[in-house]
Structures are given as C-alpha cells and as structure tokens.
Amino acid sequence: VEARRQTDRVTRARVERHTLRLAIAVGAAALVGAVTGWPVAALLAAAACWGVPALFTESKAQATTIARVEAVAGWAEMLRDTMAGAAGLEQAIAATATVAPPPIRRDVATLAARLERQRLGPALRAFADDVADPTCDLVVAALLLAAEHQASRLGELLGTLATTARDQATMRLRVEAGRARTRTSVKLIVGITLGLALFLAVLNHGYLAPYGSGVGQLVLLLVGGLFAAAFAWLAKMTRPAEPARFLAGQL
C-alpha cells in the first residue's frame, strides 16, 4: 500500500510539472499573440516555453541515472554480504529493504512487499521494470538464475556485477563531463537566439514589421521551424544513447 502511495505521489508530481509547463506555454502564447497580433509568433512562443526547460533539466536526469547505477551496485553488494551469513535470497532481499541505497530503496521495499504474496521470479521481473535500468537487469538476471536454476557461486557473481556497475558509473561520469561543455554551448546558443528575438520584438518592432503580412507569417513559420529543428538536434547531441533493456516487460 505504501509503495502504491509513493508511486501515486510520483505520478501526481509529474502530472503537476507537465501541467505547469503547459500553463506557462499557453500564457506565453496568449501574451505574445496579444502584443504582436501574429498567430505564428504565439505558436513559436508556446513551443519555446514548452521545450527550452528540458535543456536545463537534462544534466539532472543524467545525474539521477548515474546515481541509480551506483545504487544498484551497492544493493548487489548488500545481497552478497547478507547471503554470505547463510541467509536465503528472499530473506536477504527483505533484510536490505530498509537499508538499500536511497535511489532504489523504495523499489527494493516494493520488491520485499511483493514477495509476501508472489513467487520470487515474477516479483523480481516486476522489480526490474520498476527500476528500468539495464544494469539492474543484469543483477535481476543473476538472481533469477539462482532462483529458478539453483545457480552456484551467486555471491561471487553479484560481486562481479557490482564492480562492473561501478565501472559503468565511472565511465558515464567521464562522458557526462564531456557532454556538459556541449550542453553549456547549447544553452548559450538558445539563450542568445531567444534574447535577440525578444530584443527585436520589444525594442525594434519595425525591423520585424514585414512578418506581419500573410506571406511574412509563412516565412516566420518556416524560419521558426528551422530554428526549432536545429535546437532539437543540438539538444539530442547532449543526450547519450541509452543501452536497451533485455528484461523489459518480461513479467
């Protein structure tokens, strides 16, 4: 029940965040449309207010992903050490539910709660979908192998996977450091472009007067679309390609 409440709170927060972005975009469109009288300018303002904030949250999302990988590594080591004390796998999961690393603690607690009413295999697969990380899929695959096929030397395998996960997190940190410079350049380009457009619209409106005609609106739509496509391409350059999950949806 508590896990469901946590999930509902996360979903509600995500909906509220998107609702706020939508409200800001609609408000900006209404304001720009009222000031300029140009429907295309209103549309472009709404698109900018909707899309630009994503550029400033990308680094936070990557940091969250790296923290989750490190948390999976720490949890794998916890399971290994707990099972070394002659505890079974289900008992080890229950023992780590309250002390798992914070990024995945709620998911581990949910897993422990599922084990009270489900078999180990389906509960582990649901846990993999909750975390939704390729590194976690590796750990879950090892646990499934031990649960369904009585694999030996599970502790050694978990230790190896933990080391691999930490190496992957270190590699991602290096890659993220390089992408941070690109991300800063993208923010500067977007900021300067939008700032120049705002300056011309407010202080030098006569320069943009030709866009007021019907043909001018079509040209403005074309120019705005090209800029939007360029910004989207630049933003895509700052996002690393995520490896595919191999346990996705295998409930």
Side-chain angles (χ1 to χ4, degrees), residues 89 120-122 124-125 137 139-150 247 250:
L89 180 54
L120 182 58
L124 284 172
R125 289 183 171 89
D137 283 356
V139 174
V140 169
L143 299 179
L144 287 171
L145 184 66
E148 297 175 356
H149 303 285
Q150 300 298 319
L247 287 181
Q250 295 188 15

Side-chain angles (χ1 to χ4, degrees), residues 51-52 54-56 58 179-194 230-239:
V52 169
L55 295 175
F56 298 90
E58 187 67 31
R179 289 182 179 272
R181 293 189 291 270
T182 304
R183 194 173 292 117
T184 300
S185 300
V186 171
K187 291 177 182 178
L188 285 174
I189 293 172
V190 173
I192 291 173
T193 303
L194 295 180
F231 291 159
W233 178 66
L234 288 173
K236 185 178 180 180
M237 290 175 57
T238 67
R239 290 193 294 266

